[in-house]
Amino acid sequence: MARGAGIAQDELRRVNLGAVLSRVHASGPTSRAALTAELGLNRSTIGDLTAQLAALGLVSEELPTRRGGTGRPSHLVVPRTDVTVVAVLLDVDRIVTALVGLGGVVLARRERLHQRGGHDVEAVVATVAQAVAELQALPEAGRCLGVGVSVPGVVRADDGMVRSAPNLGWTDAPFSALLHTEVGLPVRTGNDANLGVYAEHLRGAAVGVDDVAYVSGSVGIGGGFLVGGQPLRGAGGYAGEIGHLCVDLDGARCRCGAVGCWETRVGENHLLEAAGWLPGGGLPAVDQVTQAAMAGDVRAGAALEEAARWIGVGLRAIVNMVNPEMIVLSGVLAKVFEQRRTTLVGHLRLGGPKALQERLTLVTAALGDDSSLFGAAETAFEPLLADPTTISSPAAHSA
Amino acid sequence: MARGAGIAQDELRRVNLGAVLSRVHASGPTSRAALTAELGLNRSTIGDLTAQLAALGLVSEELPTRRGGTGRPSHLVVPRTDVTVVAVLLDVDRIVTALVGLGGVVLARRERLHQRGGHDVEAVVATVAQAVAELQALPEAGRCLGVGVSVPGVVRADDGMVRSAPNLGWTDAPFSALLHTEVGLPVRTGNDANLGVYAEHLRGAAVGVDDVAYVSGSVGIGGGFLVGGQPLRGAGGYAGEIGHLCVDLDGARCRCGAVGCWETRVGENHLLEAAGWLPGGGLPAVDQVTQAAMAGDVRAGAALEEAARWIGVGLRAIVNMVNPEMIVLSGVLAKVFEQRRTTLVGHLRLGGPKALQERLTLVTAALGDDSSLFGAAETAFEPLLADPTTISSPAAHSA
């Protein structure tokens, strides 16, 4: 029941340029013939569009080295990796930065721990700004269009304001604005799970799958949903706060103030404590629990079993509400899934209408811990892909 | 991060015709000047498009009776109500049918109880087919394009197969196909809450609001979500089965097989039993409970209080997952909200990140019990609005 808005003649070319560039950005070098077929445009239109993208310095056109099939060989349209962005992943214990070229190629990557200032917003901004400057100075940086940032928190879609990031201790932190002032480039900031699902859809476990729930667990639990191939944002861009599903009103109090939130049952630290470990230590500590369980530690085994049960209960809520075709698990949830698949799936499939369970697959994130980092790169490329004509010309840049 | 597909030149006109027709269908008579401004198309394009829609017999163009402002009066583009659909609402105890003209005008309406055959699929098809024939025979029926059906169950988006409708006792009932055979018109069938949210967005409480959760309660609880102005469908079209949120693992067993589903706590019959009534009787029985509570019946009051608490808990899950700007309540949920607003809102606001609660409003359905009926009409109009050129010409029809 989608009701389209009008499309003016002059918008058409912009939309089509974006469609071609998005296609080669996602898939890498693509023949003009394939673009013609996949985008439903005619051959001469595709030729015009790729020529304009080449003139903008966004793609190069190459003759394929090998001929396939009969007839004239079709030119390959190749995304230019000297059009770049910087992707930033803010985590509780580390900051990852990467220089990413058009086509999703990682040209350079840095990882560092938080400074002595800890999670202080100004300190994090300074650290990130330094890393961005370092990457921008590399010869591979070419035309660097902007910075994309992944934050483990609730991020306002309009302006990237970090409304809350409990693990960083941030409330209403204007991280995007502060970083923009430091680096002078456009900065776009998003929630880690929302960025993660997009990256897994573009280049990971969910390629070709349009209805996806990405669920990532560390201390808290984050969710990002793709519905009909589009990110589910919600009114403020805050959708996916699934750590605060109420699953157990007789349970523990959550740091959010409510009782029985899902993340009090399946977060990393709850698992560690249930297994008899001290909280903290992240995924390496979780790995110790799984190794202990495999070695016969009864308490560790029971902790995994219990986590699997509660993960199943929470995923069932997601299935019944948004009807995904695929659930991509990351972090501690992926670890528990690998160890206790039968229990987890059993509790997931326990109830609700059968139709929603039929074609559902569960997988672990193909991009591993980098889903959100790749997603951060994508959010920085987004304005270019929406309208490739906005880029300054290569000549203007090199001048 | 939406990546558009290509748009060919010849699609453009179709999209724009659909945009203009959708606009007047939603808003009623609209001046060409307003269409020009709202759709972002130029004046001569709008003139061409409205002329073509008039030639197709879908709109008439009229000079306004009163002049407003200065300059030439702008022609009014008026949707023609002799282009019609039949909307059908299947409920547990009744079948409502309505003849609805373009612009959403109800031209005729019938309501009848289920036949002695009860909910037997063949019997329901026969009853509905008779009602459709009756409405089609009316002089107002004009060109009747199809039938839209609202079902309280899980409906496959592809073909309208009713995968399950527990209150009707249906499993994999090919209702759409059977009705199509009987009536010879296209039949489109949808879930009642998915249709309800669309109607409330188009003509009800949620006009102008693009992120909406519609939650309707009778024996079970159904949900329909609009995200970014689009229906949230999910992989099979099954999204919104929020009655099966697990809220209480120590609770009652649900008919779905799981324990502690939301609808075991907030369904009509649970409320009635908690208040000391027998189950059954629907909303009129619920009204008796609320009247008893107002008259001082302690048990009835406690039952409402308890329902309000659990409604708040479940709505909180919806808020945290899909971040709506508005929640529209219908059925028993609307009744409890009206009686115990403070308790309900208190439990809704109890936890989760504050950002998701900030701009949230709760309202009751403006279309009352007819949300889903209006939504059924919309689903029948959908193919026409997507491509107005598909309609047979008025001459061909009357021949």
Side-chain angles (χ1 to χ4, degrees):
Chain A
M1 274 175 282
R3 305 287 160 78
I7 300 175
Q9 191 63 44
D10 55 353
E11 273 177 61
L12 192 61
R13 189 169 185 85
R14 199 154 50 74
V15 169
N16 285 340
L17 281 170
V20 172
L21 188 61
S22 296
R23 188 72 185 70
V24 299
H25 173 62
S27 310
T30 309
S31 71
R32 280 197 209 155
L35 290 170
T36 304
E38 286 164 21
L39 298 177
L41 300 172
N42 70 44
R43 196 176 169 138
S44 70
T45 303
I46 290 289
D48 289 349
L49 294 168
T50 58
Q52 188 172 349
L53 291 174
L56 290 165
L58 296 169
V59 303
S60 54
E61 298 200 78
E62 300 171 7
L63 271 176
T65 48
R66 284 195 306 175
R67 283 187 54 159
T70 57
R72 272 198 303 168
S74 180
H75 278 77
L76 271 183
V77 183
V78 182
R80 281 183 58 166
T81 56
D82 59 351
V83 176
T84 63
V85 299
V86 176
V88 179
L89 178 80
L90 296 185
D91 219 340
V92 181
D93 48 1
R94 60 186 186 137
I95 298 170
V96 186
T97 48
L99 182 70
V100 180
L102 205 56
V105 182
V106 176
L107 301 166
R109 183 188 166 106
R110 304 278 186 274
E111 191 162 332
R112 64 191 79 189
L113 299 179
H114 283 279
Q115 288 187 328
R116 254 183 305 174
H119 295 147
D120 174 72
V121 179
E122 309 276 343
V124 174
V125 167
T127 305
V128 171
Q130 192 184 17
V132 171
E134 209 174 296
L135 292 171
Q136 265 195 292
L138 296 175
E140 304 91 306
R143 280 186 288 174
C144 186
L145 303 180
V147 181
V149 185
S150 164
V151 173
V154 177
V155 181
R156 187 157 64 200
D158 293 348
D159 58 0
M161 170 73 89
V162 181
R163 300 303 313 279
S164 62
N167 296 334
L168 300 174
W170 293 1
T171 302
D172 287 326
F175 182 83
S176 298
L178 293 171
L179 185 61
H180 171 67
T181 304
E182 288 299 311
V183 302
L185 287 168
V187 176
R188 294 165 68 98
T189 300
N191 166 271
D192 53 357
N194 288 347
L195 297 174
V197 71
Y198 198 78
E200 289 289 333
H201 177 63
L202 197 68
R203 309 187 193 281
V207 170
V209 184
D210 281 348
D211 292 279
V212 185
Y214 172 91
V215 192
S216 175
S218 56
V219 176
I221 305 292
F225 305 131
L226 210 72
V227 293
Q230 300 295 321
L232 197 173
R233 297 190 176 284
Y238 307 136
E241 288 298 319
I242 56 184
H244 303 285
L245 276 178
C246 178
V247 292
D248 183 15
L249 267 188
D250 299 324
R253 185 165 295 278
C254 180
R255 56 191 171 174
C256 81
V259 167
C261 291
W262 192 31
E263 68 182 44
T264 66
R265 284 291 184 187
V266 300
E268 252 167 35
N269 289 337
H270 180 74
L271 176 68
L272 292 170
E273 289 177 306
W277 264 253
L278 287 174
L283 282 183
V286 171
D287 282 334
Q288 289 184 294
V289 172
T290 63
Q291 278 153 22
M294 283 190 280
D297 182 325
V298 175
R299 198 167 165 195
L304 286 173
E305 193 69 18
E306 185 68 4
R309 175 185 178 225
W310 285 108
I311 294 171
V313 168
L315 294 183
R316 201 201 306 154
I318 295 172
V319 168
N320 288 327
M321 280 177 73
V322 300
N323 183 205
E325 193 176 339
M326 177 181 278
I327 297 177
V328 181
L329 298 173
S330 181
V332 64
L333 304 186
K335 300 283 184 191
V336 175
F337 174 62
E338 282 161 355
Q339 296 297 320
R340 289 293 185 278
R341 189 180 291 234
T342 308
T343 302
L344 191 158
V345 173
H347 281 273
L348 165 58
R349 297 210 184 271
L350 200 61
K354 297 285 171 284
L356 290 94
Q357 303 266 0
E358 280 169 354
R359 289 187 301 171
L360 179 68
T361 55
L362 262 76
V363 298
T364 56
L367 304 172
D369 295 343
D370 280 348
S371 310
S372 302
L373 182 70
F374 276 100
E378 291 310 315
T379 197
F381 275 125
E382 194 183 356
L384 175 71
L385 297 172
D387 185 356
T389 64
T390 53
I391 196 170
S392 60
S393 74
H397 172 80
S398 61
Chain B
M1 277 175 277
R3 305 286 158 80
I7 300 174
Q9 190 63 46
D10 55 355
E11 273 176 59
L12 192 62
R13 188 168 186 86
R14 198 153 52 75
V15 168
N16 285 340
L17 281 170
V20 172
L21 187 61
S22 296
R23 188 70 186 74
V24 299
H25 174 62
S27 310
T30 309
S31 71
R32 280 197 210 156
L35 289 169
T36 303
E38 287 165 22
L39 298 178
L41 299 172
N42 70 43
R43 194 175 170 139
S44 71
T45 303
I46 290 288
D48 288 349
L49 294 168
T50 57
Q52 188 172 349
L53 291 174
L56 289 165
L58 295 169
V59 303
S60 55
E61 299 200 80
E62 299 171 7
L63 272 176
T65 47
R66 281 195 306 175
R67 284 187 54 158
T70 56
R72 270 197 306 168
S74 180
H75 279 79
L76 270 183
V77 183
V78 182
R80 280 184 57 167
T81 57
D82 59 352
V83 175
T84 64
V85 300
V86 175
V88 179
L89 178 80
L90 296 186
D91 218 339
V92 181
D93 48 0
R94 63 191 182 134
I95 298 171
V96 185
T97 48
L99 182 70
V100 180
L102 204 57
V105 182
V106 176
L107 303 165
R109 181 188 168 108
R110 305 277 186 274
E111 190 163 334
R112 65 191 77 189
L113 300 179
H114 284 280
Q115 286 187 330
R116 252 184 304 173
H119 296 148
D120 174 72
V121 180
E122 308 275 343
V124 174
V125 168
T127 306
V128 171
Q130 191 183 22
V132 172
E134 209 173 295
L135 292 170
Q136 265 195 291
L138 295 174
E140 303 92 306
R143 281 185 289 172
C144 186
L145 303 180
V147 181
V149 184
S150 163
V151 173
V154 178
V155 180
R156 186 158 65 201
D158 294 347
D159 59 0
M161 170 74 87
V162 181
R163 300 301 313 282
S164 63
N167 295 334
L168 299 174
W170 293 2
T171 303
D172 288 326
F175 182 83
S176 297
L178 293 171
L179 184 62
H180 171 66
T181 304
E182 288 298 312
V183 301
L185 287 168
V187 175
R188 295 165 68 99
T189 301
N191 166 271
D192 53 357
N194 288 347
L195 296 173
V197 72
Y198 198 80
E200 289 289 333
H201 177 63
L202 196 70
R203 310 185 192 284
V207 169
V209 184
D210 280 348
D211 292 279
V212 186
Y214 172 92
V215 192
S216 174
S218 55
V219 175
I221 305 292
F225 306 131
L226 211 72
V227 292
Q230 301 295 320
L232 197 173
R233 296 190 177 285
Y238 307 136
E241 287 297 320
I242 54 184
H244 303 285
L245 277 179
C246 178
V247 292
D248 183 15
L249 269 188
D250 299 324
R253 185 163 293 278
C254 179
R255 56 192 172 174
C256 81
V259 168
C261 291
W262 193 31
E263 67 181 46
T264 66
R265 285 287 184 189
V266 299
E268 248 167 39
N269 289 337
H270 180 76
L271 176 68
L272 292 171
E273 290 176 305
W277 265 253
L278 287 174
L283 283 182
V286 171
D287 282 335
Q288 288 184 296
V289 172
T290 62
Q291 279 153 24
M294 283 189 281
D297 181 324
V298 175
R299 199 168 163 192
L304 285 173
E305 193 70 18
E306 184 69 3
R309 174 182 177 229
W310 285 108
I311 293 171
V313 168
L315 294 182
R316 203 200 305 154
I318 294 172
V319 168
N320 287 327
M321 281 178 73
V322 301
N323 182 206
E325 192 177 341
M326 177 181 278
I327 297 176
V328 182
L329 298 173
S330 180
V332 64
L333 304 186
K335 300 280 183 193
V336 175
F337 174 63
E338 284 161 354
Q339 296 297 318
R340 289 293 185 278
R341 187 179 293 233
T342 307
T343 301
L344 192 157
V345 173
H347 281 273
L348 165 59
R349 297 213 184 268
L350 199 59
K354 298 283 171 287
L356 290 94
Q357 304 266 359
E358 282 169 355
R359 288 187 302 170
L360 179 67
T361 55
L362 262 77
V363 299
T364 57
L367 303 173
D369 296 342
D370 279 348
S371 309
S372 302
L373 183 71
F374 276 100
E378 291 310 316
T379 197
F381 275 124
E382 193 182 354
L384 175 72
L385 298 172
D387 185 357
T389 64
T390 54
I391 196 170
S392 60
S393 74
H397 172 81
S398 60

